[in-house]
């Protein structure tokens, strides 16, 4: 999320935690709703213009079955719409073309109550919780971790010290006791658990109070000097390479540059196309090395190699489409010239085609293994 301003944030209505209510969001819906808010384009009020493929790529919901990926995105968007969190508009079908998605701010004022048999008073959900951009980055597209951070923030901001029992986490996360514990354990780097005190009940049995949770502030996180040195060295290495690149398309786009030269950045169609067509030997060699590693990879049954085939197939298809388009222009130009031959004084007419080549933005193929 490099595009985000450090002070930017998204808003999650607290009714999204409302288990057993019509407003509760699952992990996918929560992640999508927050992600859409961070995607809002400058100048557009609570509105996002995007496509299914862009959402799949940005949320990293990529599997070996593209149809399943698209179905997951569609079902999540449709559910958010049915629950009143967003509105969606499109020309033909939601599965085709661009989508215009509007965040429904009215849901922030909704209230909900949840009654359970293990608590005398009902849970009340109202207001909203802000998710800062650095908190969103922590979850790395994990919806469960996002819910855990948001719920901890809300309870931590309560007027009294709020204890959260495992049953409550089960309900908010929508999972079993065992799964809830595993999710919270994996949140340990950014959520601190303070174990409840042990006590004896009226029957002399030892019991433990519910735990409390708090967000780990960034200034309390231990710094790894070795990791910092590696990052600095990596950036210095890439900066030195940049000086040797002569292709302006690569120099002027940090994203394209990283797709070709940075081993931790996934290569996408736009970067692949530029690599195929570049005249810069530095770019050509680096891209070839990356592609060769992908082809040689045996991880996930050669998943990276299959992605190379998809990229090449899409590239060949783009060339074919471009050739078809140019042939159509040639035929139209020829027909126009033939029509003009019948006009008196044609020899004095300087023919100029009205065709202007349009730049067409190629659709990115879904990303692949993080190691390439």
């Amino acid at each position: 999320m490099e595009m985000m301003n450090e002070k930017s944030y998204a808003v999650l209505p607290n009714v999204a935690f409302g288990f057993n209510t019509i407003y509760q969001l699952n992990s996918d819906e929560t992640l999508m709703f927050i992600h859409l808010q961070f995607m809002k384009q400058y100048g557009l009020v609570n509105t996002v213009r995007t496509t299914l493929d862009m959402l799949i790529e940005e949320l990293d919901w990529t599997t070996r079955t593209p149809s399943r990926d698209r179905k997951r995105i569609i079902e999540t968007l449709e559910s958010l719409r049915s629950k009143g969190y967003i509105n969606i508009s499109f020309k033909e079908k939601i599965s085709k073309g661009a989508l215009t998605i509007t965040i429904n701010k009215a849901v922030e004022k909704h209230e909900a109550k949840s009654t359970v048999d293990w608590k005398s008073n009902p849970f009340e959900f109202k207001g909203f919780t802000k998710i800062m951009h650095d908190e969103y980055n922590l979850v790395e597209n994990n919806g469960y971790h996002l819910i855990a951070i948001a719920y901890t923030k809300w309870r931590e901001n309560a007027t009294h010290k709020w204890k959260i029992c495992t049953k409550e986490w089960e309900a908010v996360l929508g999972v079993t006791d065992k799964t809830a514990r595993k999710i919270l354990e994996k949140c340990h780097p950014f959520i601190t658990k303070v174990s409840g005190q042990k006590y004896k009940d009226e029957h002399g049995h030892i019991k433990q109070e519910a735990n409390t949770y708090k967000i780990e502030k960034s200034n309390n996180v231990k710094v790894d000097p070795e990791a910092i040195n590696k990052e600095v060295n990596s950036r210095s290495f890439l900066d030195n390479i940049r000086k040797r690149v002569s292709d302006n398309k690569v120099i002027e786009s940090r994203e394209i540059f990283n797709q070709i030269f940075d081993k931790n950045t996934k290569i996408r169609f736009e970067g692949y196309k530029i690599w195929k067509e570049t005249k810069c030997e530095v770019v050509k060699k680096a891209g070839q090395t990356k592609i060769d590693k992908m082809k040689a990879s045996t991880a996930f049954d050669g998943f990276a190699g299959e992605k190379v085939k998809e990229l090449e197939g899409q590239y060949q298809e783009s060339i074919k489409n471009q050739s078809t388009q140019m042939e159509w222009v040639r035929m139209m130009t020829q027909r126009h010239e033939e029509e003009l031959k019948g006009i008196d004084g044609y020899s004095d007419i300087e023919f100029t085609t009205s065709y202007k080549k349009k730049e067409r933005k190629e659709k990115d193929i879904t990303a692949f293994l993080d190691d390439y």
Side-chain angles (χ1 to χ4, degrees):
M1 291 292 167
E2 295 177 354
M3 72 186 80
M4 296 182 195
N5 183 292
E6 290 185 0
K7 296 182 180 180
S8 64
Y9 63 87
V11 171
L12 182 66
N14 292 332
V15 289
F17 306 125
F19 43 90
N20 303 325
T21 73
I22 60 173
Y23 300 114
Q24 184 179 20
L25 300 183
N26 62 27
S27 60
D28 280 0
E29 293 160 1
T30 302
L31 183 63
M32 176 70 78
F33 185 64
I34 296 300
H35 179 73
L36 287 172
Q37 292 180 62
F38 281 121
M39 281 183 66
K40 288 187 296 185
Q41 287 91 348
Y42 180 77
L44 298 178
V45 180
N46 299 317
T47 300
V48 178
R49 288 174 181 162
T50 186
T51 65
L52 294 185
D53 292 330
M54 286 177 63
L55 290 172
I56 292 171
E57 179 182 326
E58 290 165 357
L59 292 171
D60 198 21
W61 286 3
T62 307
T63 68
R64 296 177 67 90
T65 310
S67 60
R68 184 185 302 165
D69 304 336
R70 293 171 69 82
K71 180 180 179 183
R72 181 182 179 186
I73 292 288
I74 292 172
E75 288 180 347
T76 302
L77 290 174
E78 290 285 15
S79 184
L80 283 172
R81 178 167 62 175
S82 68
K83 293 178 181 181
Y85 286 84
I86 63 173
N87 293 315
I88 313 172
S89 61
F90 42 86
K91 288 186 176 180
E92 297 179 19
K93 296 181 179 179
I94 191 173
S95 59
K96 293 183 178 180
L99 304 174
T100 300
I101 302 173
T102 305
I103 308 299
N104 183 9
K105 300 294 287 182
V107 74
E108 294 174 15
K109 298 180 181 179
H110 291 176
E111 299 182 9
K113 290 185 178 182
S114 297
T115 303
V116 293
D117 55 10
W118 39 271
K119 187 176 180 294
S120 56
N121 297 323
F123 286 89
E124 295 186 5
F125 303 95
K126 58 184 178 180
F128 58 84
T129 299
K130 289 183 178 180
I131 307 297
M132 305 306 294
H133 94 283
D134 55 342
E135 293 168 339
Y136 178 64
N137 285 343
L138 287 174
V139 307
E140 297 181 338
N141 292 327
N142 187 312
Y144 287 119
H145 291 181
L146 182 57
I147 294 175
I149 284 180
Y151 199 68
T152 299
K153 284 194 70 175
W154 179 37
R155 291 317 198 191
E156 196 178 10
N157 290 334
T159 55
H160 62 281
K161 193 174 182 179
W162 195 283
K163 299 180 184 298
I164 309 175
C165 66
T166 304
K167 283 184 175 293
E168 187 173 345
W169 277 121
E170 288 179 46
V172 171
L173 293 168
V175 297
T176 63
D177 173 278
K178 184 177 180 180
T179 302
R181 292 177 187 274
K182 286 184 177 180
I183 291 172
L184 293 172
E185 285 175 5
K186 291 182 179 180
C187 290
H188 178 66
F190 41 86
I191 296 179
T192 299
K193 180 181 74 173
V194 180
S195 299
Q197 295 182 348
K198 292 183 179 180
Y199 67 95
K200 287 185 179 181
D201 63 12
E202 63 273 17
H203 302 293
H205 298 143
I206 297 177
K207 292 189 175 182
Q208 183 178 347
E209 294 179 345
N211 303 319
T212 55
Y213 298 81
K214 61 184 297 184
I215 299 297
E216 187 70 36
K217 303 301 180 183
S218 58
N219 58 0
N220 291 331
V221 177
K222 293 182 179 180
V223 177
D224 184 351
E226 184 178 348
I228 292 178
N229 287 334
K230 286 182 179 179
E231 176 65 18
V232 171
N233 292 336
S234 175
R235 294 315 312 174
S236 298
F237 173 73
L238 293 175
D239 288 340
N240 287 333
I241 289 179
R242 187 186 295 274
K243 297 175 183 177
R244 297 161 49 199
V245 175
S246 59
D247 190 327
N248 288 333
K249 291 182 180 178
V250 179
I251 296 174
E252 295 171 359
S253 172
R254 181 179 177 182
E255 181 182 352
I256 297 299
F257 179 87
N258 286 342
Q259 285 184 35
I260 295 170
F261 291 100
D262 184 8
K263 68 177 182 179
N264 295 318
T265 301
K266 305 168 186 178
I267 190 167
R268 302 182 175 90
F269 178 75
E270 188 176 8
Y272 185 86
K273 184 176 186 293
I274 289 175
W275 165 69
K276 290 283 289 189
E277 299 175 353
T278 187
K279 302 298 182 182
C280 176
E281 289 300 322
V282 177
V283 174
K284 183 67 74 176
K285 183 177 180 180
Q288 187 65 60
T289 299
K290 197 167 191 176
I291 294 299
D292 289 344
K293 286 183 178 180
M294 291 168 58
K295 290 180 178 179
S297 174
T298 58
F300 298 96
D301 296 326
F303 185 59
E306 290 299 317
K307 286 301 178 184
V308 173
K309 292 180 181 179
E310 290 184 25
L311 285 166
E312 179 61 25
Q314 189 176 0
Y315 177 69
Q316 294 300 328
E317 183 67 22
S318 71
I319 293 176
K320 181 180 178 181
N321 291 340
Q322 185 177 18
S323 176
T324 301
Q325 184 182 36
M326 293 306 297
E327 176 62 20
W328 180 85
V329 171
R330 188 193 66 76
M331 291 175 60
M332 292 300 100
T333 301
Q334 182 179 356
R335 180 182 298 177
H336 193 35
E337 289 176 332
E338 290 174 353
E339 291 174 350
L340 287 174
K341 288 180 180 179
I343 301 176
D344 292 337
Y346 168 72
S347 58
D348 297 327
I349 298 176
E350 181 180 351
F351 175 75
T352 303
T353 177
S354 61
Y355 170 75
K356 292 184 180 180
K357 184 178 179 181
K358 295 182 179 179
E359 294 184 0
R360 58 192 294 267
K361 187 174 181 182
E362 301 290 351
K363 182 175 67 177
D364 283 348
I365 191 167
T366 49
F368 47 83
L369 297 178
D370 289 335
D371 293 337
Y372 299 93

